[in-house]
Amino acid sequence: MTETETRAIFLEELNRVAPDIDPATVRDTDHLQDDLDLDSMDILNLVTALHARLGVSIPESDYKEIETPRKANGYLARRLREPE
């Protein structure tokens, strides 16, 4: 999976969790909580959705790794390349 595909999936799932967020306006540096106003339940729902969609488990200790779309894209790309 390419990083472009990973980013698109992240933004699709973000939009499902927070339908008021237009993925076209989300910048790579937008912080999920500070800039996009997601709360802890939204983050948990996003993590759950990403796990269901990509099969990637994201432990709570790694939530800081997905706090912006850029960081999330890198994190998810790395995790998808890891052997099972």
Side-chain angles (χ1 to χ4, degrees), residues 12-56:
E12 286 171 18
E13 296 306 327
L14 175 63
N15 182 247
R16 286 193 181 129
V17 168
D20 55 318
I21 296 174
D22 178 1
T25 65
V26 176
R27 297 171 304 199
D28 282 343
T29 58
D30 283 343
H31 190 279
L32 296 180
Q33 292 177 305
D34 297 341
D35 298 317
L36 301 177
D37 296 324
L38 270 67
D39 62 23
S40 58
M41 186 56 78
D42 293 329
I43 300 293
L44 180 59
N45 288 334
L46 178 59
V47 165
T48 301
L50 291 169
H51 175 71
R53 181 92 179 259
L54 298 171
V56 173

Side-chain angles (χ1 to χ4, degrees), residues 56-70:
V56 173
S57 295
I58 304 171
E60 189 173 355
S61 61
D62 284 355
Y63 284 10
K64 66 187 175 308
E65 299 294 329
I66 63 162
E67 65 189 5
T68 68
R70 177 178 294 143

